[in-house]
Amino acid sequence: MKKRRIIIITSKFLHAFVRHMIDDIQPDCDIEIVEYKCFREIKEIYQKYEAVADGFMLSGKTALSALEKAIPEHKKPAVSFHSDLICMYRLLLKHFVEQRTLRTDRVIFDFLLPIQQEATAAYFIHDMNLPRISAAIDDWLITTDIDKLSSVEKEISQKVVQLWEQNQFDLLICQYSSIIPVLEQHSIPYVYCYPEKEVLQSLLKTLLAQIEIYSFYENLPAAVAISAATSEISEQTQGQLKTALQTLKSELALDMILQETPSGYQLFTSVKNINYLTDELHTCFLSTRLKEDFGIPVSVGYGIGRNITEARNHAEAALKESVYSKGSFVIDENGNLIGPLSSSHCLAIQKNLSEHLYLVAEQCKLSTLTIQKLNTILQITGSNKMTSQDLSEHLGVTLRNANRILNQLEKGGAATMVYSHSSTSKGRPVKVYELHF
């Protein structure tokens, strides 16, 4: 079996340390170490190696967060390695034993500087517990955008230099290895808290396990159901569609089985090929090419399943939604509906519906799928107020259908018209509804 290839993205300072640890661990995989100068470079490095790497390791939580925010839906598994808080306590103990004159209020941590004003060892030891520190760091990473993360190294460097020039500390406990050139330039005393060998060893095992899971997922059965977007399918249209699909199949060199159905065609393949055709479930390459290059407008449904029968059934169900909503849809292995693809309002609709939402659908005489879509829209927008224009854009339906849905919700007691406003000096006032989900 071919060895997995892992790319470790780290700073120049940590390169030699990581190389030594990997040589000592001797993992059963191929590893390449790539250096970055600042967090802004991580996205470019990932994109450069994505096609050839099975997984990525990054030095530090912030580096991993920078990748996740720069490429929110990156394909390959990625993990971060860093020293844990126990290692930091050990490091502190070692230095306070060796330097008896060192004061806890004169030692600071660089990783605390972005998240709070007090960053001394005294505060770290006496006023913070381990769960609070981890939670504070995680909350900061979640709420910080990519631009802020990309500049955090510069901001920490400037803050450390400022505190040093103001004689605010005697020693820095460093976690941001990329700021070390600045520390050495200003002769600022520091110690770096290295992760232990066991941490890297355990993390490698975790990453390899994630790679196996990802590989298994990529090879799940998948199907594509395609139908010409016309009321009646003539033999001529069916033949043209078959020729076009065979041409695309040959051109793309994809491992797919083509099978004719009464309403069109089905393609049987794997998740890996579905991801390729849809750019990770974002666009619909097939519908675009078939319309633009062959003049055949089509409806397309993608299905993923734990077996080929489930994948085919999901594809047919997604195709029905495609015909109804005028866009391409995916139903994944968990039965979740995703779509419409190629839309800024692509929704991921959970299969499971609460008893309350089933009741709303029944009272309003709307399909449970429509209620699921509405519920997802409310969660995404963070507001329960909506106009017919909003609904039309989110669902990809006509304004008339959007008005019908809102009227049904109002009749069923799931929506209330709260006020109206005029977008222009002429025309009817726009009604704003409040949805009670």
Side-chain angles (χ1 to χ4, degrees):
M1 181 179 176
K2 185 180 177 182
K3 284 188 175 182
R4 298 300 187 185
R5 187 181 184 191
I6 293 174
I7 304 297
I8 298 181
I9 305 175
T10 189
S11 65
K12 182 178 181 179
F13 175 80
L14 283 176
H15 190 136
F17 165 78
V18 173
R19 182 77 270 166
H20 174 74
M21 286 291 103
I22 294 302
D23 291 342
D24 195 21
I25 294 170
Q26 294 186 340
D28 187 24
C29 56
D30 293 327
I31 290 180
E32 181 176 350
I33 302 171
V34 182
E35 294 179 7
Y36 71 88
K37 293 179 182 177
C38 64
F39 290 151
R40 288 187 183 277
E41 294 182 351
I42 291 175
K43 176 182 178 180
E44 183 180 341
I45 293 171
Y46 174 87
Q47 290 174 330
K48 178 181 178 180
Y49 290 93
E50 181 184 50
V52 296
D54 295 301
F56 292 80
M57 289 181 67
L58 296 90
S59 55
K61 278 186 174 183
T62 312
L64 177 59
S65 184
L67 170 62
E68 292 172 340
K69 290 180 185 293
I71 312 177
E73 297 179 6
H74 59 85
K75 293 192 295 183
K76 300 299 174 66
V79 297
S80 66
F81 64 90
H82 50 85
S83 56
D84 57 25
L85 295 172
I86 301 299
C87 289
M88 292 186 191
Y89 276 114
R90 289 174 181 166
L91 184 65
L92 283 176
L93 179 61
K94 175 179 179 292
H95 278 273
F96 285 123
V97 168
E98 291 176 353
Q99 303 178 47
R100 297 301 177 94
T101 58
L102 196 61
R103 289 165 38 188
T104 57
D105 62 341
R106 300 281 300 174
V107 176
I108 64 171
F109 294 88
D110 63 352
F111 73 91
L112 289 179
L113 291 172
I115 62 176
Q116 60 181 56
Q117 290 184 332
E118 185 62 70
T120 65
Y123 184 81
F124 181 83
I125 295 170
H126 300 296
D127 299 310
M128 293 191 80
N129 56 43
L130 298 185
R132 263 181 59 198
I133 295 173
S134 296
I137 294 171
D138 290 342
D139 288 345
W140 175 72
L141 290 174
I142 290 170
T143 56
T144 305
D145 61 31
I146 182 60
D147 292 331
K148 182 72 173 176
L149 278 181
S150 298
S151 62
V152 70
E153 300 153 301
K154 182 179 179 180
E155 291 179 8
I156 291 175
S157 300
Q158 292 173 342
K159 182 67 173 177
V160 169
V161 170
Q162 180 185 10
L163 292 173
W164 176 249
E165 291 175 346
Q166 295 172 353
N167 192 31
Q168 295 293 308
F169 69 93
D170 298 318
L171 180 68
L172 174 73
I173 307 296
C174 182
Q175 278 288 88
Y176 283 85
S177 59
S178 52
I179 74 168
I180 287 176
V182 176
L183 302 180
E184 294 179 343
Q185 179 185 348
H186 290 81
S187 301
I188 298 174
Y190 71 90
V191 289
Y192 187 83
C193 192
Y194 293 93
E196 295 182 350
K197 173 185 171 182
E198 290 74 18
V199 172
L200 281 171
Q201 202 164 20
S202 174
L203 198 62
L204 275 169
K205 289 181 180 179
T206 300
L207 180 56
L208 287 170
Q210 290 183 8
I211 290 170
E212 290 304 315
I213 292 171
Y214 177 77
S215 176
F216 172 77
Y217 175 74
E218 276 201 318
N219 289 296
L220 277 177
V224 187
I226 304 169
S227 175
T230 55
S231 56
E232 293 185 5
I233 310 297
S234 66
E235 288 186 13
Q236 182 181 2
T237 302
Q238 191 83 330
Q240 290 173 341
L241 181 56
K242 181 179 181 180
T243 301
L245 289 172
Q246 288 175 332
T247 302
L248 288 176
K249 180 176 176 289
S250 175
E251 176 188 316
L252 298 171
L254 295 178
D255 184 16
M256 290 182 165
I257 298 173
L258 181 63
Q259 180 176 305
E260 188 171 357
T261 68
S263 60
Y265 287 90
Q266 288 182 340
L267 296 169
F268 296 98
T269 183
S270 66
V271 169
K272 184 176 182 179
N273 287 331
I274 293 295
N275 284 337
Y276 175 76
L277 288 172
T278 63
D279 188 22
E280 301 297 315
L281 309 187
H282 284 98
T283 63
C284 185
F285 172 84
L286 285 175
S287 62
T288 302
R289 287 291 306 274
L290 288 170
K291 183 177 181 180
E292 293 181 356
D293 295 357
F294 300 92
I296 308 173
V298 294
S299 299
V300 181
Y302 299 90
I304 301 169
R306 295 173 181 83
N307 54 60
I308 195 64
T309 300
E310 187 176 70
R312 181 177 57 195
N313 291 340
H314 284 174
E316 287 296 333
L319 177 63
K320 290 180 181 178
E321 182 61 26
S322 174
V323 172
Y324 172 76
S325 299
K326 309 302 180 186
S328 302
F329 286 82
V330 182
I331 294 182
D332 67 17
E333 72 280 9
N334 297 313
N336 301 321
L337 178 69
I338 302 166
L341 307 184
S342 306
S343 165
S344 58
H345 300 293
C346 181
L347 304 176
I349 302 163
Q350 300 298 314
K351 177 183 179 182
N352 296 325
L353 197 66
S354 69
E355 187 176 340
H356 170 67
L357 291 181
Y358 270 116
L359 186 60
V360 170
E362 186 177 334
Q363 290 175 339
C364 299
K365 297 181 180 178
L366 291 168
S367 71
T368 55
L369 181 58
T370 298
I371 298 301
Q372 284 175 300
K373 289 181 181 180
L374 291 170
N375 191 49
T376 303
I377 292 167
L378 297 183
Q379 292 174 5
I380 291 172
T381 60
S383 171
N384 64 343
K385 291 184 173 62
M386 189 173 296
T387 67
S388 56
Q389 184 64 43
D390 295 332
L391 190 57
S392 172
E393 291 176 359
H394 281 295
L395 291 182
V397 298
T398 64
L399 201 57
R400 182 176 180 179
N401 274 337
N403 278 317
R404 180 186 63 80
I405 291 170
L406 287 172
N407 288 335
Q408 290 295 108
L409 289 170
E410 189 175 25
K411 289 178 182 178
T416 305
M417 201 277 282
V418 288
Y419 61 88
S420 62
H421 64 84
S422 297
S423 56
T424 61
S425 57
K426 297 181 179 180
R428 295 181 180 178
V430 176
K431 295 180 181 180
V432 179
Y433 290 84
E434 188 173 79
L435 275 59
H436 312 302
F437 279 19

